Amino acid sequence: MTTETPLAGAVADGTAEPSLFATMSTMRAMRRLRPDPLPDELVDRLIQAAVWGPSGGNMQRYQYVVVTDRAVMAELAPLWKRCVDAYLATTGKYAPEGMDEAAYGRMVAAIEYQRDHFADTPALIIPCYQFPAPRIEEEGLRIYAEALGAEATERMGRIQERFSALAEGSCVYPGVQNLLLAARGLGLAANITIWHLFLENEWKAALGIPEDMNTFAAIPVGRPQGNFGPVRRRPVEEVVHRNRW
């Protein structure tokens, strides 16, 4: 069961919580956007916040594709529609466990609104990342295998693709969260999606993204039509395991 997250207030020692807590507790996914254009300087502030995010190994190999041209957005709109329709027909067909049908219906209505008005999206941000080719020597592999042991080394061989994907994601998603927080702090609506991955090759071709560059999200941004409000999330006591599972 989800509950409304309390807004920021006093902490145990009587001091005030940082305003960041209020920002996080009211950062709903806002899909109904006003069509008003966003100044480049404002969008650049979101990218700056993303760049401030931590990046694994401090490699900082992220790139951000920013779309604000209405003609380009209109080219992307059919791709967005196909991706959303594919999602709503499969994974998104049923309400998640613990979410009532009425609330899910409202969420789907917002998704459909964004789908049908995608060409009017003021800005779309696509974070990209590409790991460099690994530099591993034979001696390093020997120490690696000794440190992990035979069983773990064999398992890592089986999950290497998943490990690599998670490693890249850990380098880019902290920046994405910074971007979303910055958007909320600046009064902008934004939501993170990965539906574009259904047709990633088509999205790359439309935006000129190199084939060997990985994309990690498509984030529509604009001024909200509605109001921000407290998020509904599971209470902490339902998700925390102290010291052991």
Side-chain angles (χ1 to χ4, degrees), residues 147-195:
L148 296 183
E151 183 177 344
T153 300
E154 191 273 334
R155 176 178 176 273
M156 283 302 300
R158 297 197 309 270
I159 67 164
Q160 188 58 46
E161 184 175 352
R162 175 172 178 260
F163 181 86
S164 298
L166 288 173
E168 280 193 319
S170 70
C171 292
V172 68
Y173 285 128
V176 169
Q177 182 67 5
N178 268 16
L179 187 155
L180 296 172
L181 285 167
R184 172 64 186 91
L186 293 168
L188 299 175
N191 69 288
I192 180 174
T193 75
I194 60 169
W195 300 329

Coordinates of all heavy atoms in Angstrom, one line a residue, residues 147-195:
A147 N 41.2 -13.6 -6.6 CA 40.5 -12.9 -5.6 C 39.0 -13.3 -5.5 O 38.5 -13.4 -4.4 CB 40.6 -11.4 -5.9
L148 N 38.4 -13.6 -6.6 CA 37.0 -14.0 -6.6 C 36.8 -15.5 -6.3 O 35.8 -15.9 -5.7 CB 36.4 -13.7 -8.0 CG 36.3 -12.2 -8.4 CD1 35.6 -12.1 -9.7 CD2 35.7 -11.4 -7.3
G149 N 37.7 -16.3 -6.7 CA 37.6 -17.8 -6.6 C 36.9 -18.3 -7.9 O 36.3 -17.6 -8.7
A150 N 37.1 -19.6 -8.1 CA 36.6 -20.2 -9.3 C 35.1 -20.1 -9.6 O 34.7 -19.8 -10.7 CB 37.0 -21.7 -9.3
E151 N 34.3 -20.3 -8.5 CA 32.9 -20.3 -8.7 C 32.4 -18.9 -9.1 O 31.6 -18.7 -10.1 CB 32.2 -20.7 -7.5 CG 30.6 -20.8 -7.6 CD 30.0 -21.3 -6.3 OE1 30.6 -21.9 -5.5 OE2 28.7 -21.1 -6.2
A152 N 32.9 -17.9 -8.4 CA 32.5 -16.5 -8.7 C 33.0 -16.0 -10.1 O 32.3 -15.3 -10.8 CB 32.9 -15.5 -7.6
T153 N 34.2 -16.4 -10.4 CA 34.8 -16.1 -11.7 C 33.9 -16.6 -12.8 O 33.7 -16.0 -13.8 CB 36.2 -16.6 -11.8 OG1 37.0 -15.9 -10.8 CG2 36.8 -16.2 -13.2
E154 N 33.5 -17.9 -12.7 CA 32.7 -18.5 -13.7 C 31.3 -17.8 -13.8 O 30.8 -17.6 -14.9 CB 32.5 -20.0 -13.3 CG 31.9 -20.9 -14.5 CD 30.4 -20.8 -14.4 OE1 29.8 -20.6 -13.3 OE2 29.8 -21.0 -15.5
R155 N 30.8 -17.5 -12.6 CA 29.5 -16.8 -12.7 C 29.6 -15.4 -13.3 O 28.8 -15.0 -14.1 CB 29.0 -16.6 -11.2 CG 27.7 -15.8 -11.1 CD 27.2 -15.7 -9.7 NE 26.0 -14.8 -9.6 CZ 26.1 -13.5 -9.5 NH1 27.2 -12.9 -9.4 NH2 24.9 -12.8 -9.4
M156 N 30.7 -14.7 -13.0 CA 30.9 -13.4 -13.7 C 31.0 -13.5 -15.2 O 30.5 -12.6 -15.9 CB 32.1 -12.7 -13.1 CG 32.0 -12.1 -11.7 SD 30.7 -10.9 -11.7 CE 31.3 -9.7 -12.8
G157 N 31.5 -14.6 -15.7 CA 31.6 -14.8 -17.1 C 30.2 -14.9 -17.7 O 29.9 -14.5 -18.8
R158 N 29.2 -15.5 -16.9 CA 27.9 -15.7 -17.4 C 27.1 -14.4 -17.4 O 26.2 -14.2 -18.2 CB 27.1 -16.8 -16.6 CG 27.7 -18.2 -16.6 CD 26.7 -19.2 -16.1 NE 26.1 -18.8 -14.8 CZ 26.7 -19.2 -13.7 NH1 27.8 -20.0 -13.6 NH2 26.1 -18.9 -12.5
I159 N 27.4 -13.5 -16.4 CA 26.6 -12.3 -16.3 C 27.3 -11.1 -16.7 O 26.9 -9.9 -16.4 CB 26.1 -12.1 -14.8 CG1 27.3 -11.8 -13.9 CG2 25.3 -13.4 -14.3 CD1 26.9 -11.3 -12.5
Q160 N 28.3 -11.2 -17.5 CA 29.2 -10.1 -17.9 C 28.3 -9.0 -18.6 O 28.5 -7.8 -18.4 CB 30.3 -10.5 -18.8 CG 31.3 -9.4 -19.1 CD 31.9 -8.8 -17.8 OE1 32.4 -9.6 -16.9 NE2 32.0 -7.5 -17.7
E161 N 27.4 -9.4 -19.5 CA 26.6 -8.4 -20.2 C 25.7 -7.6 -19.2 O 25.7 -6.4 -19.3 CB 25.7 -9.1 -21.2 CG 24.9 -8.2 -22.0 CD 24.1 -8.9 -23.1 OE1 24.2 -10.1 -23.3 OE2 23.3 -8.2 -23.8
R162 N 25.1 -8.3 -18.2 CA 24.4 -7.6 -17.2 C 25.3 -6.7 -16.4 O 24.9 -5.5 -16.1 CB 23.6 -8.6 -16.3 CG 22.9 -7.9 -15.2 CD 22.0 -8.9 -14.4 NE 21.3 -8.3 -13.3 CZ 21.7 -8.4 -12.0 NH1 22.8 -9.1 -11.7 NH2 21.0 -7.9 -11.1
F163 N 26.4 -7.1 -16.0 CA 27.4 -6.4 -15.2 C 27.7 -5.1 -15.9 O 27.8 -4.0 -15.4 CB 28.6 -7.2 -14.9 CG 29.6 -6.5 -14.0 CD1 29.5 -6.5 -12.6 CD2 30.7 -5.8 -14.6 CE1 30.4 -5.8 -11.9 CE2 31.6 -5.1 -13.8 CZ 31.5 -5.1 -12.4
S164 N 28.0 -5.2 -17.2 CA 28.5 -4.1 -18.0 C 27.3 -3.1 -18.1 O 27.6 -1.8 -18.1 CB 28.9 -4.5 -19.4 OG 30.0 -5.4 -19.3
A165 N 26.1 -3.6 -18.3 CA 25.0 -2.6 -18.4 C 24.7 -1.9 -17.1 O 24.5 -0.7 -17.1 CB 23.7 -3.4 -18.8
L166 N 24.9 -2.6 -16.0 CA 24.7 -1.9 -14.7 C 25.9 -1.0 -14.4 O 25.7 0.1 -13.9 CB 24.7 -3.0 -13.6 CG 23.4 -3.8 -13.5 CD1 23.5 -4.9 -12.5 CD2 22.2 -2.9 -13.2
A167 N 27.0 -1.3 -14.9 CA 28.2 -0.4 -14.7 C 28.0 0.9 -15.4 O 28.2 2.0 -14.9 CB 29.5 -1.1 -15.1
E168 N 27.5 0.8 -16.7 CA 27.2 2.0 -17.5 C 26.1 2.8 -16.8 O 26.1 4.0 -16.7 CB 26.9 1.7 -18.9 CG 28.1 1.4 -19.8 CD 27.7 1.4 -21.2 OE1 26.6 0.8 -21.6 OE2 28.5 1.9 -22.1
G169 N 25.0 2.1 -16.4 CA 23.9 2.8 -15.8 C 24.3 3.5 -14.5 O 23.8 4.6 -14.2
S170 N 25.2 2.9 -13.7 CA 25.6 3.5 -12.5 C 26.4 4.8 -12.8 O 26.6 5.6 -11.9 CB 26.5 2.6 -11.7 OG 27.7 2.3 -12.3
C171 N 26.9 4.9 -14.0 CA 27.7 6.1 -14.3 C 26.7 7.3 -14.8 O 27.1 8.4 -14.8 CB 28.7 5.8 -15.4 SG 30.0 4.8 -14.9
V172 N 25.6 6.9 -15.3 CA 24.7 7.9 -16.0 C 23.5 8.2 -15.1 O 23.1 9.4 -15.1 CB 24.3 7.5 -17.4 CG1 23.4 6.3 -17.4 CG2 23.7 8.6 -18.2
Y173 N 22.9 7.3 -14.4 CA 21.6 7.5 -13.7 C 21.8 8.5 -12.5 O 20.8 9.2 -12.3 CB 21.0 6.2 -13.3 CG 20.3 5.5 -14.5 CD1 20.6 4.2 -14.8 CD2 19.5 6.2 -15.3 CE1 20.0 3.5 -15.8 CE2 18.9 5.6 -16.4 CZ 19.2 4.2 -16.7 OH 18.6 3.6 -17.7
P174 N 22.9 8.5 -11.8 CA 23.0 9.6 -10.8 C 22.9 11.0 -11.4 O 22.2 11.9 -10.8 CB 24.4 9.3 -10.2 CG 24.6 7.9 -10.4 CD 24.0 7.6 -11.7
G175 N 23.4 11.2 -12.5 CA 23.3 12.5 -13.2 C 21.9 12.7 -13.6 O 21.4 13.9 -13.6
V176 N 21.2 11.7 -14.1 CA 19.8 11.8 -14.5 C 18.9 12.2 -13.3 O 18.1 13.1 -13.4 CB 19.2 10.5 -15.1 CG1 17.7 10.5 -15.2 CG2 19.9 10.2 -16.4
Q177 N 19.2 11.6 -12.1 CA 18.4 12.0 -10.9 C 18.7 13.5 -10.5 O 17.8 14.2 -10.1 CB 18.8 11.1 -9.7 CG 18.0 11.4 -8.5 CD 16.5 11.1 -8.5 OE1 16.0 10.6 -9.6 NE2 15.8 11.4 -7.5
N178 N 20.0 13.9 -10.7 CA 20.3 15.3 -10.4 C 19.5 16.2 -11.4 O 18.9 17.2 -11.0 CB 21.8 15.6 -10.7 CG 22.6 15.4 -9.4 OD1 22.1 14.9 -8.4 ND2 23.8 15.9 -9.5
L179 N 19.4 15.8 -12.6 CA 18.6 16.5 -13.6 C 17.1 16.7 -13.2 O 16.5 17.7 -13.3 CB 18.7 15.9 -15.0 CG 18.2 16.6 -16.2 CD1 18.9 16.1 -17.5 CD2 16.7 16.3 -16.4
L180 N 16.5 15.5 -12.8 CA 15.1 15.6 -12.4 C 14.9 16.4 -11.1 O 13.9 17.2 -11.0 CB 14.7 14.1 -12.1 CG 14.7 13.2 -13.3 CD1 14.4 11.8 -12.8 CD2 13.6 13.6 -14.3
L181 N 15.9 16.4 -10.2 CA 15.8 17.2 -9.0 C 15.9 18.7 -9.4 O 15.2 19.6 -8.8 CB 16.9 16.8 -8.0 CG 16.6 15.6 -7.2 CD1 17.9 15.1 -6.5 CD2 15.5 15.7 -6.2
A182 N 16.8 19.0 -10.3 CA 17.0 20.4 -10.7 C 15.7 20.9 -11.4 O 15.3 22.0 -11.2 CB 18.2 20.5 -11.6
A183 N 15.1 20.0 -12.2 CA 13.9 20.4 -12.9 C 12.8 20.8 -11.9 O 12.2 21.8 -12.0 CB 13.4 19.3 -13.8
R184 N 12.6 19.9 -10.9 CA 11.6 20.2 -9.8 C 12.0 21.5 -9.1 O 11.1 22.3 -8.8 CB 11.6 19.0 -8.9 CG 10.7 19.2 -7.6 CD 9.2 19.4 -8.0 NE 8.4 19.8 -6.9 CZ 8.2 21.1 -6.5 NH1 8.7 22.1 -7.2 NH2 7.4 21.3 -5.5
G185 N 13.2 21.7 -8.8 CA 13.6 22.9 -8.0 C 13.4 24.1 -8.8 O 13.2 25.2 -8.3
L186 N 13.4 24.0 -10.2 CA 13.2 25.2 -11.0 C 11.8 25.3 -11.5 O 11.4 26.1 -12.3 CB 14.1 25.1 -12.3 CG 15.6 25.2 -12.0 CD1 16.4 24.8 -13.2 CD2 16.0 26.6 -11.6
G187 N 10.9 24.5 -10.9 CA 9.5 24.5 -11.2 C 9.1 23.9 -12.5 O 8.0 24.2 -13.1
L188 N 10.0 23.0 -13.1 CA 9.7 22.4 -14.3 C 9.2 21.0 -14.1 O 9.6 20.3 -13.1 CB 11.0 22.3 -15.2 CG 11.6 23.7 -15.6 CD1 12.9 23.4 -16.3 CD2 10.6 24.5 -16.4
A189 N 8.4 20.5 -15.0 CA 7.9 19.1 -15.0 C 8.8 18.2 -15.8 O 9.3 18.7 -16.9 CB 6.5 19.1 -15.5
A190 N 9.0 17.0 -15.4 CA 9.9 16.1 -16.1 C 9.5 14.7 -15.6 O 9.0 14.5 -14.5 CB 11.4 16.4 -15.9
N191 N 9.8 13.7 -16.5 CA 9.7 12.3 -16.1 C 10.6 11.5 -16.9 O 10.9 11.8 -18.1 CB 8.2 11.8 -16.2 CG 7.8 11.7 -17.7 OD1 7.6 12.7 -18.4 ND2 7.6 10.5 -18.2
I192 N 11.1 10.5 -16.2 CA 12.1 9.6 -16.9 C 11.4 8.4 -17.5 O 10.5 7.8 -16.9 CB 13.2 9.1 -15.9 CG1 14.2 8.2 -16.6 CG2 12.6 8.4 -14.7 CD1 15.4 7.8 -15.7
T193 N 11.7 8.1 -18.7 CA 11.2 6.9 -19.4 C 12.3 6.2 -20.1 O 13.4 6.7 -20.4 CB 10.1 7.3 -20.5 OG1 10.8 7.8 -21.6 CG2 9.1 8.3 -20.0
I194 N 12.1 4.9 -20.3 CA 13.1 4.1 -21.2 C 12.3 3.4 -22.3 O 12.9 2.5 -22.9 CB 13.9 3.1 -20.3 CG1 12.9 2.1 -19.6 CG2 14.8 3.7 -19.3 CD1 13.6 0.9 -19.0
W195 N 11.1 3.8 -22.6 CA 10.3 3.2 -23.6 C 11.0 3.3 -25.0 O 10.7 2.5 -25.9 CB 8.9 3.8 -23.7 CG 8.1 3.7 -22.4 CD1 8.2 2.6 -21.5 CD2 7.2 4.6 -21.9 NE1 7.4 2.8 -20.5 CE2 6.7 4.0 -20.7 CE3 6.6 5.8 -22.4 CZ2 5.7 4.6 -19.9 CZ3 5.7 6.4 -21.6 CH2 5.2 5.8 -20.4

